[in-house]
Amino acid sequence: MARIALIEDDVEIRRLVADALSKEGHDVESADRAMEGLQLAVKGSPELILMDLGLPDLDGEELLRMIRAVSSVPVIVITARDEDHSIVQTLDAGADDYLVKPFSVAQLEARVRAILRRSAGDQVPDTVEVGELRINVAAREASLEEATLDLSPKEFDLLRVLAERAGEVVSKRELLAEVWREPYGGSDRTIDVHLSWLRNKLGESAQEPRYIQTVHGVGVKLVDPSE
Ligand code: CA
């Protein structure tokens, strides 16, 4: 449970996000303007801020810089494809993570959980296990049946993202956003190639999958093959 400030001018999205986070037990305060949001950020002492970049009264990136000038609270920015902000620029301006519209409630909750977990420090185990797969997120090490896997940085990130959402179908677009940080570009082909390398290292293939299952037309999911 956390105090979360939500700055978003789109009524629908604001309601959707506020409802989803309240259901998770968070205490959500929202604002639909940047200046009102800044007040919330300063006076409400939130533990997390979710803010839209396309706000009516002030450029979201400006707002982010203003928040950063006074607070180190984790910030997740919400961006739309048609808003002309590069993700790199936004992260440079001090965002901790981002969500690209349209996003699912599951995605939103996963990002919020991850950020709150990170800011909670080291009480949370940083190892994810799925079947005989062990992924040490902090050390960036992975093993299968006790044998260390020799993964490239991208392969590791691919495996980590899938493992953190084990059992859930992750779309290629989400993988591009998470692993390549390129929600606006990149190609499915890049993912297919890396997935095939990763499968190889896990001793499986698309034809004979074990951990990495393709859900045609939707994406891929990581499963425990013994279940
Ligand atoms: Ca907006």
Side-chain angles (χ1 to χ4, degrees), residues 48-169:
L48 171 67
I49 295 175
L50 274 154
M51 55 163 285
D52 182 23
L53 278 184
L55 292 165
D57 54 334
L58 186 70
D59 177 72
E61 213 179 286
E62 270 309 301
L63 172 62
L64 181 55
R65 290 187 200 281
M66 290 165 91
I67 292 172
R68 273 291 162 264
V70 294
S71 161
S72 59
V73 60
V75 174
I76 300 177
V77 297
I78 302 171
T79 82
R81 202 181 253 275
D82 59 1
E83 287 164 356
D84 186 28
H85 288 273
S86 93
I87 289 303
V88 174
Q89 207 176 317
T90 308
L91 294 170
D92 281 349
D96 295 86
D97 207 345
Y98 60 88
L99 277 164
V100 179
K101 293 177 193 174
F103 52 84
S104 66
V105 167
Q107 250 178 302
L108 165 75
E109 288 171 355
R111 295 297 164 85
V112 167
R113 261 198 307 274
I115 291 280
L116 291 175
R117 197 166 56 208
R118 252 189 262 162
S119 54
D122 52 11
Q123 305 125 329
V124 181
D126 34 31
T127 303
V128 184
E129 284 183 49
V130 180
E132 294 293 318
L133 257 179
R134 266 178 82 89
I135 296 127
N136 186 324
V137 179
R140 293 187 64 85
E141 284 167 3
S143 63
L144 176 61
E145 286 154 12
E146 314 268 303
T148 302
L149 294 165
D150 181 18
L151 303 178
S152 73
K154 288 285 182 255
E155 289 161 1
F156 179 85
D157 285 331
L158 203 50
L159 184 61
R160 173 186 57 81
V161 169
L162 290 172
E164 283 175 345
R165 293 171 60 183
E168 195 184 316
V169 183

